Amino acid sequence: SLRAMTQTASPQVPLEALLPDCAGQDDEDQEDGDESQLAQPDIDFAELLGPQCVIKRVDKDQKVLGTAKPEEMQRELMTRASAQKRMGACAEHVKGMSRKQRLDWAIDLKARANEFYTASNFDEAARLYNDCLVAMDLDGPEDQVREVRSKLQLPVCTNLAACMIEMGQYISCLEICDVALSVDPDSCRALYRRGLARYRLGDHAAARPDLEAALTVARSQREEAE
């Protein structure tokens, strides 16, 4: 997962360690008026971190992918905190539903998200795709779980990855494509979008195998269709 690092004269430290309120889960017992400093719009990360701070983007293996501006990191962490809160509300909403009810609700969310994507409202489409993933029931008999993953989780993840590409959130795109490829290692869309995200992050060496694999799969599918 993406971790923004700060580097001063001391060793690198994950920004989440400096600002735990934004990285962790919401405190259900917290009063509305008792918000963290991060949630206040007048907090300036550039001022908070200081002029000597260098923020670095790293992947799940701590490989440095590039740098980020303080305002970019502030926006990403605010978005992450908001998404975690929404996911919690969504999980609470479906908690009492049956498996079929959850599946039907997720399918409806996917259809609505597709409409927003078609209208180029990628932000709202991404929210609904995320809600859809939270609503999925991946417990139960193996054959049923496999069907949900292939027929719903896979297309939702590849569609969400497309939103992340459009929104310039390439690290998130990589993570989502990894989920999609755990369902279908030969997913042409997931391979292409992961390769594109890696390319735009400047990791051309890692991008090439994904793009070549996507092309191979696409050619094979075209031949089978003829």
Side-chain angles (χ1 to χ4, degrees):
S1 61
L2 170 65
R3 287 193 176 187
M5 314 291 285
T6 61
Q7 182 179 17
T8 58
S10 59
Q12 294 181 346
V13 179
L15 193 56
E16 289 90 336
L18 301 177
L19 299 165
D21 286 341
C22 95
Q25 295 181 345
D26 293 320
D27 185 350
E28 294 180 356
D29 297 328
Q30 185 179 25
E31 296 293 336
D32 291 341
D34 184 24
E35 298 178 349
S36 69
Q37 283 189 332
L38 184 64
Q40 299 176 12
D42 57 348
I43 295 296
D44 186 339
F45 264 36
E47 180 179 350
L48 179 66
L49 299 175
Q52 301 304 317
C53 177
V54 176
I55 302 174
K56 294 189 176 183
R57 296 180 182 274
V58 299
D59 62 15
K60 61 184 179 181
D61 299 317
Q62 304 302 307
K63 177 183 177 182
V64 176
L65 299 176
T67 60
K69 297 178 181 178
E71 57 269 24
E72 292 175 337
M73 185 48 51
Q74 182 170 7
R75 183 170 60 252
E76 288 185 22
L77 292 181
M78 290 287 288
T79 299
R80 186 185 305 175
S82 176
Q84 288 177 337
K85 185 173 183 179
R86 181 178 176 116
M87 287 171 62
C90 182
E92 183 67 23
H93 178 74
V94 302
K95 186 169 63 175
M97 292 184 180
S98 67
R99 184 184 188 88
K100 185 179 185 305
Q101 288 173 327
R102 292 180 66 162
L103 180 60
D104 290 344
W105 194 63
I107 291 173
D108 179 64
L109 286 175
K110 177 177 177 288
R112 290 164 54 197
N114 290 346
E115 293 176 0
F116 279 110
Y117 183 88
T118 301
S120 297
N121 188 341
F122 306 115
D123 189 61
E124 186 59 30
R127 290 193 185 98
L128 291 175
Y129 286 134
N130 271 311
D131 290 347
C132 184
L133 292 174
V134 174
M136 289 180 194
D137 187 353
L138 296 178
D139 294 324
E142 184 178 345
D143 58 334
Q144 293 183 16
V145 172
R146 190 183 305 112
E147 183 178 18
V148 170
R149 295 194 72 193
S150 63
K151 293 186 177 180
L152 192 57
Q153 186 182 31
L154 177 60
V156 167
C157 282
T158 55
N159 289 355
L160 180 55
C163 289
M164 296 298 102
I165 289 288
E166 296 290 349
M167 296 163 66
Q169 297 183 18
Y170 303 123
I171 297 293
S172 294
C173 180
L174 295 180
E175 296 170 349
I176 295 160
C177 287
D178 284 345
V179 175
L181 291 167
S182 72
V183 179
D184 179 7
D186 294 324
S187 170
C188 182
R189 291 180 178 181
L191 287 166
Y192 171 74
R193 286 162 188 165
R194 189 173 70 175
L196 181 59
R198 284 173 167 170
Y199 183 87
R200 292 187 178 178
L201 284 168
D203 193 354
H204 298 167
R208 181 165 184 162
D210 280 342
L211 296 175
E212 289 179 343
L215 180 60
T216 299
V217 173
R219 285 173 174 168
S220 176
Q221 291 175 343
R222 189 181 303 116
E223 291 173 358
E224 291 177 359
E226 292 177 352

